[in-house]
Every structure is written in C-alpha cells, then in structure tokens.
Amino acid sequence: MRRALALSGGLALVAALGACDGDDAATGATTTPTPTPGAVEANAVVDWVVDGDTIDVIIDGVEERVRLTGIDTPEIAHESSGDRPGNDAECFADAAHEYARALIDVGTPVRLERDVVARDDYGRLLAYVYRASDGIFVNYELVRQGYATPLSIEPNTTYAELMVDAARDAERDDVGLWAACR
C-alpha cells in the first residue's frame, strides 16, 4: 500500500480527515451519502483487473485505466523494468487482486461514477465502481471485506466516511488483511 503509516495509524489518520466531511454544523449530524442497491445501468465493461484497486475498462470502444476512488489495496509484486526497480508483493495483495476479480472479472458490465476530480496524475480515471447486474458498490465491498483500506484524497471524498466505517467494521470483525497482516 502506498503509505508509510501502519494500517491502524493510517486508518486513524483517514478517519480524522474523513470526519471533516459531511458534518451538518447546525445539528452535528453526518450526511454521508450511501449508494442505492439494485441493478444499475452499465457505462463500461471490465477488460482487465490490474490489481485490487485498478482495472481496465472499455467505454464506447476505448480502453481506459481506472483507479478505484477512496480505497487502497496492498501492492502486488512488480518486476524491475528499465530504470524502475521491482518490488515484492505486500501482505494480502494477491488475495485483494483475486477478490476484485471475483467481484468484477473480465467482461463484467459496470457503472463508473466520478467524484470532483476525474483523473489522477497518471492519467487514470478516478471512479466509484458498481457491478451493473446488482449494484454492488465494489470500492465499498473491497474495504468492508478487509481487502482494502480507505484512502481519501481531497476533493474526491464523497464516500470517505462510508469507507472509514467499512474499515472499522472489517477490523472489528478481524477479516481480510486485518487478520492476515498483523
């Protein structure tokens, strides 16, 4: 995972940052949006699952690389190439990759929804991903089942609080990387 903080420390930092979003100053209540379950209209088809938080999709005949917004999964192993050094897989990376494939394998129709910023510094689309057949919120499921941790980067924080809550539940239930990577 792309952070120097330990998982629990990182979660605490993200929780603190996420707590700033969605607060109603008048009532003190939070206004975290929640996705609506059920089938959704697809606007892309999965072409490849790169790793736990990155996929390639086809949109109107064009392939796009998509980074799932609001989450971070452990890094899979990469071989060195050119001037880029390789790295070993992080704890639970292969499991996160496999779980992402189980949710949205090649050929799966999906709905991509963006937040405020559409692309990252690498040109990847930033999106919340929903499986079209049943509306499963893939980003959320990866966190809730313990395959990812929250990663909120302003201004794309629509579901930051939801992701932090999902991570707390996964950690409490001792599932996924919370059980395997202590």
Side-chain angles (χ1 to χ4, degrees), residues 100-133:
R101 286 183 53 204
L103 288 172
I104 50 168
D105 206 359
V106 173
T108 304
V110 293
R111 175 148 193 90
L112 306 178
E113 292 185 359
R114 68 183 192 105
D115 208 325
V116 177
V117 174
R119 292 189 184 269
D120 66 9
D121 293 340
Y122 303 102
R124 299 175 295 188
L125 287 176
L126 298 171
Y128 300 110
V129 178
Y130 300 85
R131 191 168 59 195
S133 63

Side-chain angles (χ1 to χ4, degrees), residues 157-180:
T157 58
T158 298
Y159 295 114
E161 192 172 323
L162 181 68
M163 297 303 167
V164 168
D165 289 345
R168 283 185 183 133
D169 290 344
E171 183 178 25
R172 179 199 65 226
D173 294 345
D174 202 30
V175 297
L177 57 82
W178 299 104

Side-chain angles (χ1 to χ4, degrees), residues 135-160:
I136 292 292
F137 186 13
V138 175
N139 310 48
Y140 172 83
E141 282 301 312
L142 284 161
V143 175
R144 179 58 188 97
Q145 300 307 319
Y147 294 93
T149 56
L151 176 66
S152 293
I153 300 173
E154 289 285 346
N156 289 357
T157 58
T158 298
Y159 295 114

Side-chain angles (χ1 to χ4, degrees), residues 4-20:
L5 300 172
L7 286 176
S8 294
L11 181 56
L13 175 61
V14 172
L17 294 173
C20 298

Side-chain angles (χ1 to χ4, degrees), residues 52-136:
D53 56 27
T54 307
I55 60 176
D56 291 338
V57 299
I58 303 295
I59 303 171
D60 295 328
V62 176
E63 185 176 79
E64 289 276 1
R65 180 136 303 174
V66 177
R67 174 66 165 79
L68 279 66
T69 305
I71 71 167
D72 190 35
T73 61
E75 290 298 310
I76 60 173
H78 294 283
E79 292 185 24
S80 1
S81 104
D83 61 347
R84 220 172 68 181
N87 67 300
D88 293 331
E90 294 179 341
C91 181
F92 223 61
D94 292 333
H97 184 206
E98 289 303 313
Y99 188 67
R101 286 183 53 204
L103 288 172
I104 50 168
D105 206 359
V106 173
T108 304
V110 293
R111 175 148 193 90
L112 306 178
E113 292 185 359
R114 68 183 192 105
D115 208 325
V116 177
V117 174
R119 292 189 184 269
D120 66 9
D121 293 340
Y122 303 102
R124 299 175 295 188
L125 287 176
L126 298 171
Y128 300 110
V129 178
Y130 300 85
R131 191 168 59 195
S133 63
D134 55 9
I136 292 292

